[in-house]
Amino acid sequence: MAAELDIESFLRDGCVDDMAANAMRAAPAHIQKVVLDRGDLAGARNPSSALLARLRDARAAGRDLASDGAMSGRGPSAGDTMSGYGGQSWDMSSGPAFVKMRGLPFSAVKEDVLHFFSKFQLKVQDVTLGVNREGRPSGEAYVRFMSEQVAKEAIRDRNKQRMEHRYIELFWMTPGDAQKAGVMGATGADAGGADPGMGSFACADPSAWMQGAMAGF
């Protein structure tokens, strides 16, 4: 009972939204303890995103410990799998895959994108925010997922969902599209073969786009 009171007090004092609060309540007790041990959320620009990031980090730390014991010190290699959204195992040998977001509030930051995809355990470096030729937010973002299967699951799960008052549209990206957008980890293996369903990027000058996109890292 005392632990439940501690959690509710933590959530109330942190002023987090319902999504983050419910994620904390649903977490296993040992995960909740790790989060609480890191202290309150005072000073966080977005307490809800900060809480979701703590939960994600705590789960990742637990998986890393389990992995170290199970794999006897061997690092991941092609063909290995890891636990992902929905408890499924994803094939790491397929490499990263990319999704374009359209319709973001112009005030959106990377943490807002992480919050939007909170089930998928992304990191800040997986997100590239779009800018126009004047260097202002374009309302688009480009997101890297661990595999094609995870990216497709993200589109099915989150397409047309809200970020603040805006509906967010999600589109599949080819590696070439992702490279043009300056997405970290994009190889651009098919840079000459853009997906005809993707449309054009916000910045007509690739060099200007790259400078703006990389400024977010």
Side-chain angles (χ1 to χ4, degrees):
M1 184 68 177
E4 291 181 5
L5 291 175
D6 287 344
I7 291 171
E8 292 305 317
S9 176
F10 173 82
L11 297 174
R12 182 179 62 253
D13 294 344
C15 298
V16 301
D17 63 22
D18 289 343
M19 182 185 208
N22 290 334
M24 178 65 171
R25 294 184 184 109
H30 68 282
I31 296 295
Q32 293 174 340
K33 184 177 186 304
V34 171
V35 172
L36 292 175
D37 286 347
R38 291 181 61 177
D40 60 35
L41 298 168
R45 179 177 178 181
N46 186 327
S48 298
S49 291
L51 174 54
L52 290 169
R54 286 190 189 185
L55 289 167
R56 183 174 64 248
D57 292 345
R59 292 188 181 100
R63 285 196 303 273
D64 288 345
L65 289 174
S67 178
D68 287 343
M71 300 179 69
S72 302
R74 180 178 64 84
S77 60
D80 286 341
T81 61
M82 64 185 296
S83 178
Y85 170 66
Q88 302 179 58
S89 292
W90 309 115
D91 185 356
M92 294 172 63
S93 63
S94 64
F98 307 93
V99 171
K100 176 181 177 180
M101 304 178 70
R102 187 168 68 191
L104 274 68
F106 293 132
S107 61
V109 295
K110 290 187 177 185
E111 287 75 12
D112 294 319
V113 176
L114 297 182
H115 190 191
F116 185 82
F117 288 116
S118 59
K119 297 178 181 179
F120 295 90
Q121 302 177 2
L122 300 175
K123 299 178 181 179
V124 171
Q125 56 264 37
D126 294 321
V127 180
T128 300
L129 296 176
V131 294
N132 59 25
R133 283 173 289 184
E134 288 74 40
R136 298 174 181 173
S138 66
E140 297 180 346
Y142 308 91
V143 186
R144 178 181 63 181
F145 291 86
M146 67 177 72
S147 73
E148 178 179 326
Q149 190 171 3
V150 178
K152 289 180 178 179
E153 184 71 23
I155 292 174
R156 287 194 296 267
D157 186 68
R158 301 300 296 160
N159 189 36
K160 301 295 181 67
Q161 299 300 308
R162 285 183 179 271
M163 181 183 291
E164 297 181 5
H165 59 287
R166 304 289 299 273
Y167 283 107
I168 306 301
E169 295 181 286
L170 303 178
F171 302 91
W172 178 258
M173 297 181 75
T174 68
D177 292 326
Q179 186 187 44
K180 292 174 186 176
V183 180
M184 183 176 289
T187 62
D190 63 345
D195 182 346
M198 284 296 301
S200 59
F201 290 102
C203 182
D205 181 352
S207 62
W209 164 259
M210 182 67 76
Q211 291 171 7
M214 295 307 292
F217 291 101

